[in-house]
Amino acid sequence: MKVSIQWLNKYVDLSDIGEERIAEALPMIGLEVEDVLKAGLVPLQNVVIGQILEFVPHANSNHLSVCKVDVGDGVIRQIVCGAKNFKQNDVVPVALPGATLPGDFTISETVMRGEVSQGMMCSARELGLGADHSGLLILTGKGFKLGTPINDCFPPADTVFDISITANRGDCLSHLGVARDLAAYFNRELKMPVPENIFARERPSGNASNEFLKVSIETPDCALYNAWTIRGVKVAPSPEWMQRDLLAVGLRPINNIVDITNWVMMELGSPLHAFDAAQIGGNEIHIRKASEGEKIKLLDGKDYVLSAEHCVIADAQKAMVVAGVMGGENSGVTDATTDVVLEAAWFDPASVRKTSRKLALSSDSSTRFTRDVDPTFVAVAGTRAAQLIVELAGGTVAGTPISLGDWPRADRMIEISGDYVRERCGYDVEDAEILDIFKRLRFAVTIEGDKWQVLVPAFRPDVDRPIDLVEEFVRIYGTTTIPSGAIDSPVLPALDAKTARFVAKANDLLVGQGFSECVHYTLRDEAELKKCFGETIAAALALANPLTSEQSHIRPSLLPGLLDALKLNLAAHNEPRRLFETGHVFRPDKSGALRELVSVAFVALAEPTTRNWKSREKIDFYFAKKLAFDLAARAGITEQRLLVEAVAAGTSPLWQPGHAAVANDRAKAVSIEMGLISPKLALDWDIEANVIAGELLFTSDTFKLADKVTKFKAFSTFPPVSRDLALVVDQSVSEGFVADRLKATATKATAKQFAVEKINCFDVYQGKGLPEGKKSLAFEIVFRSENKTLTDDEVNKVFAKIQLDIERNIKCTIRK
Amino acid sequence: MQEQLAAIVNEVETALVGIKTRPDFEAFKAKIVGGNGSLTAVMKQMGKLPKEEKPAAGKLINEAKRKIEAAFAATLAAIGDAELAARLGDPIDPTLPSPDDFEGRKHPLTQTREEICRIFSRLGFTIADGPELESEWYCFDALNTPASHPARDMQDTLFMPADTVSKDASKKADEAYVMRSHTSSVQIRTMLSGQPPIRIVAPGRCFRRDTVDATHSANFHQVEGLWVDKKVTLKDLKSVLDFFVREIFGTSVETRLRPSFFPFTEPSFEMDIKSQNLGALSGRWLEIMGCGLVDPKVFENVGIDPQQWTGLAFGVGLERIAMLVHGIDDIRHFYANDLRFLRQF
């Protein structure tokens, strides 16, 4: 909303306050100033009135003219000019050398294609007087004396505040509204426009027709409808003062009738509409729902197809206006119009919003209706505009004005006390100060002992509870005096959320391992999801209304983002090695319902891409496994609870079969994938190096478990005894399987005399000396007793039994 | 005997020169002083000597033994030194770079989040969380933002298809799911799952249907704050936020509460700061967060009696704070993950 200071001054005298103080005050009462603009002619030096005595075409140019110009100082100047819209003896503004025009454009004497040019004749835009740049600003016949400074010929420049109005302050979408707030803040008198008698608010009379017009409201979307028929108007440009006001607030003057409706809307905040009465078929107006598929061409020149949820203003045959949004081309005021029908109505904010949203069309009118126009002021605005039309465009109001419906809301009474205000504020303020501010806001207060009855006028729909009055008090009283002090915050028995604690631990672990943290967008594109995770997952994660196709889906994994980061940093020669990210990802479960998962993911290049004076061992799957399991342990999931399986061929495009694995706990609260990213897939990211990666996905159930306090377990003070055992098994048999069985066998063999402390695979061998298709797994079995030093004899007996039993328990042979 | 001893000593002294390893040494030593060693054999001869010859022989043997043991000790020391040298390898050049040139860093947004949470934890705020995929009721209705409110426009909010079901975000009725547009929904989930007094901060990711540019991002982060207690006032709001801002920006920072509008707070404010230490942004008012007192309607929506309880709430933009603190001029840096950016923090 653009607000002109000159216009504001009609309602509140701010002349002694100064623009800067106003600009500072507006945001502090909740009216955020987005920009401070100048409208009209700013003070210009060396720009004067001149006359073009004669002109000839420039010899070296087919679009320039060489002019002789008189600026009344007895010297005839030569000025080269590119404009075409002038004739001999035209009077124009002339910027002489030394002048600085808006935009910091300094004029000096120059030579243009061989001809001296001693200044510049100006267009309206060059002077900052408007948008017109089609030619020189012709001032012929206005009686300006040659040499007169240009500022003496135009009114002084205006300051215009571009204010951002929050959704609750529809009342400030008008000069009167902003003036009302500034009057309250600066404690000034509000001057209502004259004649004041038209500002008396009256409920609708119920008159539905006169000899010229018949109106019926046929939908609850319209609560009030007033119409005036004004006959015999002369459509012409509106007076200069009105054009100036409209231009200052960014509206284009059209003609006196349309300008009056716009001007009154900007003055009072109530949108109005003027019809050409001759175009109203049957002299009937119906406020009704549009019929399904009904078409209308609006004043923006576009065709719209309406549906039954939209409200229109129609005549006997056709829709003429989309109610509250925009008028149609078929019934607007034109130069040929002689009789107009002026409409002042109140439309339901929700209905106008819905229509405006559906048609993707917003207007000055819809902006106001959606913020709940003051219904008690609708007829006032109409009366104001009707008077201005009669005054400025001639004509007479014909018949009794139409006045239908009822106020959907009016002034409201709120009960409050000084104590209520003080309790919410937390600081002392006198009753009198609070009451004074209510009065300045034009809220009438009746005091009943401790209780106050505050009457809030209908122009403030946002104020309807005691807490709203507290806000009003604070807004005008000012926030700078709110004291800041000691904070009384007794300890509460609460802990940080478990997910937050886990993520912090995971971050610390990864950072300690040399990983740099990345943060990527949640929104990814469909093709990538399909490629990495398959059609089902991609389909489940589509947004209903994506803004762009690259950001059409929510992410199921952090790994594609991390591959992006690897790609970018490789390309930038940043020598990336280890990257990680934590965040929320989404996966459908078997039923198709979405799970929001906490993810921790990491990627690492198996070896550096840069040359190094010393090489290190490459990292591989087992690096990822160790890191992933350490991360799981920080969520309270121990290795014993995890079931690990190799990624089978054809199950995941992301991972390289034979070099990657998945792990789950039995409760399915965590799922881990780790290993080598498919080198073929990595090539899609232009990554030629081996990428070792891992991702842990936790459901919220993981973190619901109660915190377990670690209980100390005593350990043996006696030495361990170990025996080595190599087993030859089929190559396809996993070490985990053999180790589990060996542990069970050994534990049984000890018959609880002592413990099998550890089964450690220390060698995996296949090749020479072993049959085809077999491998040897060598284990160290560690025994220990809690209460004595084990003798060789005791251990040997058990070891012999293990050797005997293991060949029966699994398919294997002992390698001697 | 003297010749024998001399020969042994000579043999020892000669042979040891060529012995470089511990096993060779032990084998050789056994040949001399082992049970069947040459010196042992000579010593055994002692017993057969006449009594009067024994002292002289003993002296000779002791002399030889001393020499041999000294030679052994010297060789053993030399072997030990050689072994150590082998274990140590070449001496290092301390100026060579480490081949392990990776250094872990937390993302600047994480660092900023942790710093903010740490500051509020000193005032007794604990960390709460909630789903990013949120139901419209929790994201809007419960926060006093009815369906007709401009913030509910499809234009601004990312919606999930109507048939979406989320196991991690309960619905009130049959409302749609959205990608939450603010962390204020965590206020609702926290108040519904517990009883006042409540004092939480909820850091999290939010979404807007915005075109990405230097100041807009398809997702961004907020830290939501909520304090509900018997007598939480405007003065508390100012005090808490002043404390926070001074911890982040230093004690010389100026603050102001500028009246604004949010459906879920009344009164509502934007907090602005002005500091002389913000580079190009020094000396002017900068908006850093929305805040206010919890609207009584929000309390009613979650079954808390607004007569009995009052509250304050605020929402700080993580990117905004990180950009101001570090002088970052483009929000896209946070999401590009260029290590030349990340390694600076």
Side-chain angles (χ1 to χ4, degrees), chain A residues 27 353 357 465 471 479 484-485 490 496-497 499 517 519-520 522 544-545 569 574 589 594 596 613 616, chain B residues 97 100 105 110 127 129 132 148 153 157 159 165 167-168 199 205 209 219 239 257 266 295 337-339:
Chain A
R353 178 179 312 285
R357 207 189 288 174
R465 303 165 302 171
E471 176 171 63
T479 57
S484 182
D496 289 345
T499 44
E517 190 185 10
V519 171
H520 289 90
T522 293
N545 63 336
N569 285 296
N574 291 343
D589 67 9
L594 296 185
E596 184 165 342
W613 67 273
R616 292 285 204 229
Chain B
D100 310 321
R105 293 287 180 103
T110 299
I127 299 173
D129 62 3
E132 291 173 5
S148 61
D153 276 3
T157 307
F159 279 80
V165 177
K167 288 253 168 91
D168 295 288
R199 215 179 302 142
R205 179 169 281 208
R209 205 165 168 275
N219 60 238
S239 305
L257 289 175
E266 185 80 11
D295 194 293
N337 300 298
D338 191 313
L339 285 165

Side-chain angles (χ1 to χ4, degrees), chain A residues 49-198:
Chain A
I49 298 294
Q51 186 172 32
I52 304 168
L53 301 179
E54 57 184 74
F55 63 98
V56 293
H58 193 297
N60 301 325
S61 165
N62 52 16
H63 69 275
L64 296 176
S65 308
V66 180
C67 313
K68 298 285 181 222
V69 180
D70 179 5
V71 296
D73 59 355
V75 182
I76 305 303
R77 286 175 173 78
Q78 173 170 303
I79 295 177
V80 178
C81 176
K84 295 275 176 236
N85 67 326
F86 58 86
K87 54 186 191 304
Q88 196 176 9
N89 293 328
D90 263 348
V91 173
V92 294
V94 181
L96 297 172
T100 300
L101 298 181
D104 255 350
F105 179 43
T106 303
I107 305 299
S108 54
E109 190 171 314
T110 58
V111 177
M112 292 173 81
R113 302 205 180 182
E115 292 286 354
V116 170
S117 185
Q118 299 167 295
M120 188 178 93
M121 299 183 282
C122 305
S123 69
R125 192 171 81 184
E126 282 160 344
L127 294 175
L129 265 173
D132 190 1
H133 193 51
S134 59
L136 301 181
L137 175 63
I138 304 295
L139 301 169
T140 312
K142 304 224 173 192
F144 298 136
K145 214 175 139 220
L146 299 189
T148 312
I150 192 75
N151 287 99
D152 293 351
C153 307
F154 289 91
D158 193 3
T159 299
V160 176
F161 297 115
D162 193 355
I163 300 177
S164 158
I165 305 286
T166 52
N168 59 328
R169 293 304 305 275
D171 63 301
C172 283
L173 290 167
S174 68
H175 281 78
L176 181 64
V178 174
R180 220 157 27 204
D181 248 26
L182 285 171
Y185 183 74
F186 288 113
N187 201 5
R188 297 283 160 112
E189 192 194 342
L190 186 73
K191 302 180 288 181
M192 289 303 278
V194 282
E196 279 196 42
N197 61 340
I198 66 165

Side-chain angles (χ1 to χ4, degrees), chain B residues 21-291:
Chain B
T21 70
R22 209 171 279 268
D24 288 354
F25 172 79
E26 294 298 339
F28 179 73
K29 191 179 170 187
K31 265 170 69 187
I32 308 300
V33 297
N36 299 316
S38 49
L39 183 65
T40 314
V42 174
M43 285 162 74
K44 280 178 186 161
Q45 292 172 21
M46 264 270 289
K48 295 170 191 163
L49 285 181
K51 202 175 180 184
E52 63 279 11
E53 286 180 26
K54 279 186 179 174
K59 206 176 164 195
L60 282 173
I61 288 173
N62 280 341
E63 176 72 6
K65 223 173 139 182
R66 193 185 54 78
K67 282 186 181 165
I68 289 168
E69 277 171 1
F72 282 163
T75 303
L76 199 58
I79 289 172
D81 286 351
E83 281 176 347
L84 181 63
R87 204 172 95 202
L88 293 176
D90 294 335
I92 52 106
D93 173 354
T95 62
L96 273 170
S98 167
D100 310 321
D101 68 339
F102 33 77
E103 183 197 9
R105 293 287 180 103
K106 285 183 184 174
H107 193 280
L109 288 177
T110 299
Q111 295 181 27
T112 308
R113 184 190 73 219
E114 288 182 345
E115 180 63 20
I116 292 173
C117 291
R118 200 156 37 233
I119 292 167
F120 282 110
S121 84
R122 289 166 55 196
L123 299 178
F125 286 77
T126 51
I127 299 173
D129 62 3
E132 291 173 5
L133 178 68
E134 186 54 281
S135 109
E136 267 189 301
W137 188 82
Y138 288 88
C139 201
F140 299 120
D141 298 75
L143 288 159
N144 195 28
T145 312
S148 61
H149 193 274
R152 294 287 289 267
D153 276 3
M154 282 285 274
Q155 319 293 12
D156 303 321
T157 307
L158 288 165
F159 279 80
M160 295 303 289
D163 58 354
T164 301
V165 177
S166 170
K167 288 253 168 91
D168 295 288
S170 53
K171 282 210 263 189
K172 180 78 170 176
D174 61 349
E175 73 270 19
Y177 279 108
V178 297
M179 297 310 290
R180 69 175 173 199
S181 53
H182 49 198
T183 43
S184 305
S185 50
V186 185
Q187 289 187 27
I188 301 303
R189 294 205 178 263
T190 304
M191 288 192 282
L192 282 172
S193 68
Q195 293 297 317
I198 292 166
R199 215 179 302 142
I200 55 137
V201 280
R205 179 169 281 208
C206 316
F207 302 83
R208 297 272 159 91
R209 205 165 168 275
D210 260 341
T211 307
V212 174
D213 64 22
T215 54
H216 293 86
S217 178
N219 60 238
F220 58 97
H221 297 81
Q222 287 184 335
V223 179
E224 188 79 12
L226 174 70
W227 180 354
V228 181
D229 212 326
K230 282 277 160 63
K231 275 180 181 152
V232 178
T233 66
L234 212 49
K235 183 185 165 191
D236 293 321
L237 178 73
K238 180 103 164 46
S239 305
V240 165
L241 296 184
D242 278 357
F243 172 77
F244 162 68
V245 167
R246 291 195 174 120
E247 287 292 305
I248 292 273
F249 294 102
T251 47
S252 65
V253 71
E254 292 174 67
T255 64
R256 72 177 187 189
L257 289 175
R258 179 163 48 76
S260 187
F261 171 71
F262 304 105
F264 37 94
T265 47
E266 185 80 11
S268 303
F269 306 94
E270 293 281 1
M271 179 166 241
D272 296 342
I273 60 161
K274 188 153 82 177
S275 162
Q276 303 308 326
N277 308 317
L278 292 174
L281 297 174
S282 294
R284 55 171 122 150
W285 288 111
L286 304 165
E287 182 178 313
I288 58 158
M289 70 175 119
C291 59

Side-chain angles (χ1 to χ4, degrees), chain B residues 11-20 25 28 68 70-73 75:
Chain B
E11 185 197 351
V12 166
E13 285 177 345
T14 313
L16 282 179
V17 174
I19 289 176
K20 301 291 181 205
F25 172 79
F28 179 73
I68 289 168
F72 282 163
T75 303

